[in-house]
Amino acid sequence: MDKPNEWVVIGRFGRTHGIKGKIVVHSFTEPKSNIIKYRDAWHMELRGNKTPVDILCLHEQGNNILAQIKGYEQEELAKTLANITISVPSEQLEQLPSGEYYWHDLVGMHVTNQEGLDFGQVTDVMATGSNDVLIVDGSKRHMIPYLLEQSILTIDMNNKQILVDWDYDF
């Protein structure tokens, strides 16, 4: 990757599960079980610092991913992890095939349409179930479906530019 030392949020700790200090992990990866592949690179932000996560146990149980973290084996300690994000260095992510992008790569890109109208920059990407949606903020907010070769015509990673087939007034 061309962004050394960049951190990518891949999940978040949730509620505790049981009395032995296990905690639910909410994965932001697709599929959600991919978060397990990065277990050796997990870091959490504690008091403003990225701290490596020492995982004692990590597994899927039903629809949940459960973890037990060293130093947080008791339920009360594990509760303090709730809502803490899980990040990995960007260089740990798999190289994607040509034409596929990680969401964090799209954030910050500049968006224009075929008429040359400036929509602003991508500030977020939202999953809707049927397709992802680019949130673009400029003089107004636009929500543009991420449909390649339909509403998204080209993505130029080198120039941080996305060309869309989208009505500016929509």
Side-chain angles (χ1 to χ4, degrees):
M1 300 198 104
D2 61 346
K3 300 176 186 175
N5 302 319
E6 180 180 304
W7 293 95
V8 178
V9 176
I10 62 167
R12 172 178 53 80
F13 291 114
R15 61 178 170 72
T16 57
H17 182 85
I19 60 171
K20 297 191 181 202
K22 289 189 179 177
I23 190 163
V24 174
V25 174
H26 298 286
S27 174
F28 302 156
T29 65
E30 190 61 42
K32 74 179 190 174
S33 61
N34 275 358
I35 196 169
I36 295 171
K37 292 194 303 190
Y38 301 109
R39 68 179 289 152
D40 294 333
W42 284 17
H43 286 72
M44 57 185 167
E45 189 158 333
L46 296 175
R47 295 173 290 287
N49 296 311
K50 295 287 187 210
T51 303
V53 177
D54 192 352
I55 300 169
L56 297 173
C57 172
L58 179 64
H59 65 278
E60 291 183 79
Q61 182 174 317
N63 289 330
N64 290 321
I65 297 173
L66 300 177
Q68 188 177 43
I69 308 303
K70 185 174 184 178
Y72 298 87
E73 296 93 346
Q74 289 81 33
E75 182 182 14
E76 288 305 311
L77 291 173
K79 283 181 181 180
T80 65
L81 295 176
N83 296 317
I84 291 178
T85 58
I86 301 164
S87 301
V88 296
S90 61
E91 60 267 12
Q92 294 291 318
L93 299 178
E94 294 177 0
Q95 190 70 29
L96 292 176
S98 178
E100 291 186 24
Y101 309 94
Y102 286 111
W103 282 8
H104 73 276
D105 289 330
L106 300 176
V107 172
M109 294 189 82
H110 198 76
V111 179
T112 56
N113 70 3
Q114 294 168 297
E115 290 79 40
L117 296 174
D118 182 1
F119 284 63
Q121 287 189 325
V122 177
T123 57
D124 200 3
V125 183
M126 176 176 62
T128 65
S130 58
N131 56 268
D132 298 335
V133 174
L134 297 180
I135 309 299
V136 182
D137 286 320
S139 59
K140 68 181 207 175
R141 175 171 272 200
H142 296 274
M143 298 177 77
I144 303 172
Y146 186 80
L147 299 169
L148 294 175
E149 299 178 6
Q150 293 179 40
S151 54
I152 307 297
L153 300 178
T154 61
I155 297 174
D156 181 346
M157 293 301 292
N158 292 330
N159 294 312
K160 296 292 198 182
Q161 182 73 36
I162 299 175
L163 179 66
V164 297
D165 182 5
W166 198 252
D167 185 354
Y168 185 83
D169 295 322
F170 187 68

